[in-house]
Amino acid sequence: MSLGLGFFEIGQVSVSNFKNRSRRLGKSRILPFATPTSTSSPVTSGVPQGSVLGPLLFLTYINDLPNGLASTVKLFADDTILYGVVVDDSDCGILQYDLDKLEIWQNEWQMEFNPSKCNIVCISNKHRPPQRTYFFCGSKLEQVDSASYLGITVNNKLKWSEHFSSISSKASRSLGLIKRNLWNCPGKYVKRAIPASFDPNWNTQVPPVGPTP
């Protein structure tokens, strides 16, 4: 963390304050399981949830993740997407090399990726695009036809049918919930419930695929 803060030219005094405060916390944790509990162990790293500085410190900590990678990396909070143009087998090798470098980064900075939540989407109109088996953190990455990223379902043909089907399905479930629970309520309450149920899915997922103004 101190290296990350130093990169952004945050003064040494401020860095020392972060270090000292972390040492003074003296936090410990116990893991309960049914009736017995584990022994207490000290918390040596981390940021308290709900803190104002938490998101800033986290972004500072992972800010150098894309450094030295040939592929393009996009970060959003703790979501990471790695992609590049693959024309031949050498490009596949570059992508695997970047995955290996991400493993080195996680080991150095003690920030573990979750390979079970990682997969490969090959976006192409070719009948036989260049492909290979990719490995990450000791696991073989599954190749899928579509994946969800920040609420948008992207498939291997860049078609939006799956995305719109997902939105429609969520809308149908929300409408069914309203019908089952508010069928006997005054209309004014139903009118309030409909936007509250539909807007979170509709407004956050539809505009990104629409035309840019």
Side-chain angles (χ1 to χ4, degrees):
M1 175 60 74
S2 60
L3 292 176
L5 295 174
F7 176 81
F8 290 101
E9 299 182 356
I10 296 178
Q12 187 60 39
V13 174
S14 299
V15 174
S16 298
N17 288 338
F18 280 118
K19 289 183 177 180
N20 294 333
R21 183 170 182 181
S22 298
R23 294 192 187 101
R24 289 197 301 267
L25 286 176
K27 299 291 185 181
S28 61
R29 61 182 177 182
I30 296 176
L31 178 64
F33 181 76
T35 302
T37 58
S38 66
T39 57
S40 176
S41 60
V43 177
T44 58
S45 63
V47 177
Q49 279 193 325
S51 65
V52 176
L53 281 176
L56 174 61
L57 293 176
F58 178 78
L59 293 177
T60 302
Y61 196 80
I62 68 170
N63 186 69
D64 68 333
L65 185 150
N67 292 355
L69 299 181
S71 305
T72 303
V73 179
K74 297 296 183 182
L75 303 173
F76 184 86
D78 61 346
D79 286 331
T80 305
I81 183 171
L82 177 77
Y83 63 92
V85 178
V86 176
V87 178
D88 50 34
D89 292 339
S90 63
D91 294 325
C92 295
I94 291 174
L95 191 58
Q96 179 62 62
Y97 178 72
D98 285 340
L99 291 172
D100 296 338
K101 293 192 71 173
L102 288 180
E103 285 191 51
I104 296 174
W105 182 90
Q106 74 162 6
N107 294 331
E108 180 179 356
W109 292 102
Q110 300 179 10
M111 288 285 293
E112 294 185 2
F113 291 98
N114 187 350
S116 65
K117 294 184 178 180
C118 301
N119 45 49
I120 296 287
V121 179
C122 177
I123 301 175
S124 175
N125 286 323
K126 295 181 179 180
H127 293 293
R128 293 185 178 179
Q131 296 186 34
R132 64 168 289 176
T133 300
Y134 295 95
F135 294 89
F136 186 50
C137 298
S139 300
K140 176 183 175 181
L141 294 184
E142 178 187 6
Q143 181 161 328
V144 296
D145 293 332
S146 63
S148 178
Y149 180 66
L150 302 183
I152 303 296
T153 301
V154 181
N155 69 10
N156 56 0
K157 300 298 181 182
L158 286 184
K159 303 292 185 180
W160 298 112
S161 55
E162 292 183 51
H163 178 69
F164 291 134
S165 295
S166 175
I167 294 178
S168 299
S169 178
K170 291 180 180 179
S172 296
R173 290 196 296 268
S174 297
L175 182 59
L177 180 66
I178 292 174
K179 286 182 176 180
R180 289 192 302 271
N181 294 278
L182 301 181
W183 63 273
N184 200 28
C185 291
K188 62 179 181 179
Y189 297 115
V190 177
K191 290 181 180 179
R192 292 180 183 177
I194 290 177
S197 299
F198 282 78
D199 287 353
N201 290 322
W202 188 258
N203 289 339
T204 59
Q205 296 182 18
V206 173
V209 302
T212 302

PDB file of all heavy atoms in Angstrom, residues 199-212:
ATOM      1  N   ASP A 199     -37.140  -0.263 -12.533  1.00  0.00           N
ATOM      2  CA  ASP A 199     -36.087   0.686 -12.866  1.00  0.00           C
ATOM      3  C   ASP A 199     -34.674   0.187 -12.605  1.00  0.00           C
ATOM      4  O   ASP A 199     -33.772   0.422 -13.420  1.00  0.00           O
ATOM      5  CB  ASP A 199     -36.315   2.015 -12.134  1.00  0.00           C
ATOM      6  CG  ASP A 199     -37.470   2.806 -12.735  1.00  0.00           C
ATOM      7  OD1 ASP A 199     -37.988   2.369 -13.777  1.00  0.00           O
ATOM      8  OD2 ASP A 199     -37.848   3.847 -12.165  1.00  0.00           O
ATOM      9  N   PRO A 200     -34.394  -0.484 -11.470  1.00  0.00           N
ATOM     10  CA  PRO A 200     -33.006  -0.915 -11.246  1.00  0.00           C
ATOM     11  C   PRO A 200     -32.457  -1.784 -12.357  1.00  0.00           C
ATOM     12  O   PRO A 200     -31.297  -1.637 -12.746  1.00  0.00           O
ATOM     13  CB  PRO A 200     -33.105  -1.698  -9.917  1.00  0.00           C
ATOM     14  CG  PRO A 200     -34.282  -1.108  -9.227  1.00  0.00           C
ATOM     15  CD  PRO A 200     -35.260  -0.774 -10.322  1.00  0.00           C
ATOM     16  N   ASN A 201     -33.259  -2.697 -12.907  1.00  0.00           N
ATOM     17  CA  ASN A 201     -32.780  -3.551 -13.996  1.00  0.00           C
ATOM     18  C   ASN A 201     -32.828  -2.851 -15.342  1.00  0.00           C
ATOM     19  O   ASN A 201     -31.926  -2.966 -16.159  1.00  0.00           O
ATOM     20  CB  ASN A 201     -33.623  -4.829 -14.068  1.00  0.00           C
ATOM     21  CG  ASN A 201     -33.358  -5.751 -12.895  1.00  0.00           C
ATOM     22  OD1 ASN A 201     -32.230  -5.880 -12.448  1.00  0.00           O
ATOM     23  ND2 ASN A 201     -34.408  -6.382 -12.395  1.00  0.00           N
ATOM     24  N   TRP A 202     -33.905  -2.105 -15.564  1.00  0.00           N
ATOM     25  CA  TRP A 202     -34.106  -1.498 -16.880  1.00  0.00           C
ATOM     26  C   TRP A 202     -33.138  -0.347 -17.129  1.00  0.00           C
ATOM     27  O   TRP A 202     -32.454  -0.295 -18.141  1.00  0.00           O
ATOM     28  CB  TRP A 202     -35.543  -1.021 -16.995  1.00  0.00           C
ATOM     29  CG  TRP A 202     -35.906  -0.565 -18.375  1.00  0.00           C
ATOM     30  CD1 TRP A 202     -36.013   0.710 -18.812  1.00  0.00           C
ATOM     31  CD2 TRP A 202     -36.176  -1.406 -19.507  1.00  0.00           C
ATOM     32  NE1 TRP A 202     -36.351   0.738 -20.129  1.00  0.00           N
ATOM     33  CE2 TRP A 202     -36.460  -0.537 -20.592  1.00  0.00           C
ATOM     34  CE3 TRP A 202     -36.212  -2.777 -19.704  1.00  0.00           C
ATOM     35  CZ2 TRP A 202     -36.760  -1.027 -21.855  1.00  0.00           C
ATOM     36  CZ3 TRP A 202     -36.519  -3.253 -20.957  1.00  0.00           C
ATOM     37  CH2 TRP A 202     -36.784  -2.386 -22.019  1.00  0.00           C
ATOM     38  N   ASN A 203     -33.062   0.590 -16.188  1.00  0.00           N
ATOM     39  CA  ASN A 203     -32.274   1.799 -16.410  1.00  0.00           C
ATOM     40  C   ASN A 203     -30.775   1.558 -16.388  1.00  0.00           C
ATOM     41  O   ASN A 203     -30.017   2.296 -17.001  1.00  0.00           O
ATOM     42  CB  ASN A 203     -32.625   2.861 -15.365  1.00  0.00           C
ATOM     43  CG  ASN A 203     -34.010   3.445 -15.601  1.00  0.00           C
ATOM     44  OD1 ASN A 203     -34.537   3.373 -16.701  1.00  0.00           O
ATOM     45  ND2 ASN A 203     -34.601   4.026 -14.567  1.00  0.00           N
ATOM     46  N   THR A 204     -30.313   0.554 -15.634  1.00  0.00           N
ATOM     47  CA  THR A 204     -28.875   0.329 -15.548  1.00  0.00           C
ATOM     48  C   THR A 204     -28.356  -0.597 -16.630  1.00  0.00           C
ATOM     49  O   THR A 204     -27.153  -0.690 -16.831  1.00  0.00           O
ATOM     50  CB  THR A 204     -28.500  -0.288 -14.178  1.00  0.00           C
ATOM     51  OG1 THR A 204     -29.195  -1.529 -14.008  1.00  0.00           O
ATOM     52  CG2 THR A 204     -28.874   0.664 -13.052  1.00  0.00           C
ATOM     53  N   GLN A 205     -29.229  -1.272 -17.370  1.00  0.00           N
ATOM     54  CA  GLN A 205     -28.759  -2.254 -18.334  1.00  0.00           C
ATOM     55  C   GLN A 205     -29.131  -1.924 -19.773  1.00  0.00           C
ATOM     56  O   GLN A 205     -28.434  -2.327 -20.691  1.00  0.00           O
ATOM     57  CB  GLN A 205     -29.309  -3.639 -17.990  1.00  0.00           C
ATOM     58  CG  GLN A 205     -28.807  -4.151 -16.652  1.00  0.00           C
ATOM     59  CD  GLN A 205     -29.323  -5.546 -16.343  1.00  0.00           C
ATOM     60  OE1 GLN A 205     -29.768  -6.261 -17.222  1.00  0.00           O
ATOM     61  NE2 GLN A 205     -29.264  -5.927 -15.098  1.00  0.00           N
ATOM     62  N   VAL A 206     -30.189  -1.172 -20.005  1.00  0.00           N
ATOM     63  CA  VAL A 206     -30.589  -0.899 -21.367  1.00  0.00           C
ATOM     64  C   VAL A 206     -29.784   0.227 -22.013  1.00  0.00           C
ATOM     65  O   VAL A 206     -29.309   0.087 -23.137  1.00  0.00           O
ATOM     66  CB  VAL A 206     -32.100  -0.578 -21.438  1.00  0.00           C
ATOM     67  CG1 VAL A 206     -32.475  -0.115 -22.834  1.00  0.00           C
ATOM     68  CG2 VAL A 206     -32.910  -1.809 -21.067  1.00  0.00           C
ATOM     69  N   PRO A 207     -29.569   1.386 -21.349  1.00  0.00           N
ATOM     70  CA  PRO A 207     -28.882   2.497 -22.037  1.00  0.00           C
ATOM     71  C   PRO A 207     -27.524   2.149 -22.620  1.00  0.00           C
ATOM     72  O   PRO A 207     -27.197   2.636 -23.706  1.00  0.00           O
ATOM     73  CB  PRO A 207     -28.757   3.543 -20.909  1.00  0.00           C
ATOM     74  CG  PRO A 207     -29.905   3.261 -20.014  1.00  0.00           C
ATOM     75  CD  PRO A 207     -30.040   1.765 -20.025  1.00  0.00           C
ATOM     76  N   PRO A 208     -26.669   1.312 -21.965  1.00  0.00           N
ATOM     77  CA  PRO A 208     -25.354   1.068 -22.544  1.00  0.00           C
ATOM     78  C   PRO A 208     -25.375   0.439 -23.933  1.00  0.00           C
ATOM     79  O   PRO A 208     -24.414   0.536 -24.664  1.00  0.00           O
ATOM     80  CB  PRO A 208     -24.706   0.114 -21.526  1.00  0.00           C
ATOM     81  CG  PRO A 208     -25.390   0.426 -20.243  1.00  0.00           C
ATOM     82  CD  PRO A 208     -26.802   0.718 -20.624  1.00  0.00           C
ATOM     83  N   VAL A 209     -26.474  -0.234 -24.304  1.00  0.00           N
ATOM     84  CA  VAL A 209     -26.508  -0.869 -25.627  1.00  0.00           C
ATOM     85  C   VAL A 209     -27.266  -0.018 -26.626  1.00  0.00           C
ATOM     86  O   VAL A 209     -27.409  -0.404 -27.775  1.00  0.00           O
ATOM     87  CB  VAL A 209     -27.148  -2.276 -25.546  1.00  0.00           C
ATOM     88  CG1 VAL A 209     -26.388  -3.133 -24.581  1.00  0.00           C
ATOM     89  CG2 VAL A 209     -28.619  -2.199 -25.151  1.00  0.00           C
ATOM     90  N   GLY A 210     -27.746   1.137 -26.210  1.00  0.00           N
ATOM     91  CA  GLY A 210     -28.489   2.009 -27.114  1.00  0.00           C
ATOM     92  C   GLY A 210     -27.540   2.925 -27.862  1.00  0.00           C
ATOM     93  O   GLY A 210     -26.324   2.938 -27.644  1.00  0.00           O
ATOM     94  N   PRO A 211     -28.061   3.728 -28.778  1.00  0.00           N
ATOM     95  CA  PRO A 211     -27.211   4.641 -29.558  1.00  0.00           C
ATOM     96  C   PRO A 211     -26.623   5.733 -28.673  1.00  0.00           C
ATOM     97  O   PRO A 211     -27.246   6.175 -27.702  1.00  0.00           O
ATOM     98  CB  PRO A 211     -28.184   5.230 -30.594  1.00  0.00           C
ATOM     99  CG  PRO A 211     -29.535   5.101 -29.950  1.00  0.00           C
ATOM    100  CD  PRO A 211     -29.485   3.841 -29.141  1.00  0.00           C
ATOM    101  N   THR A 212     -25.414   6.148 -29.000  1.00  0.00           N
ATOM    102  CA  THR A 212     -24.753   7.219 -28.243  1.00  0.00           C
ATOM    103  C   THR A 212     -25.303   8.558 -28.715  1.00  0.00           C
ATOM    104  O   THR A 212     -25.313   8.828 -29.925  1.00  0.00           O
ATOM    105  CB  THR A 212     -23.245   7.164 -28.479  1.00  0.00           C
ATOM    106  OG1 THR A 212     -22.757   5.894 -28.093  1.00  0.00           O
ATOM    107  CG2 THR A 212     -22.539   8.257 -27.675  1.00  0.00           C
TER     108      THR A 212
END
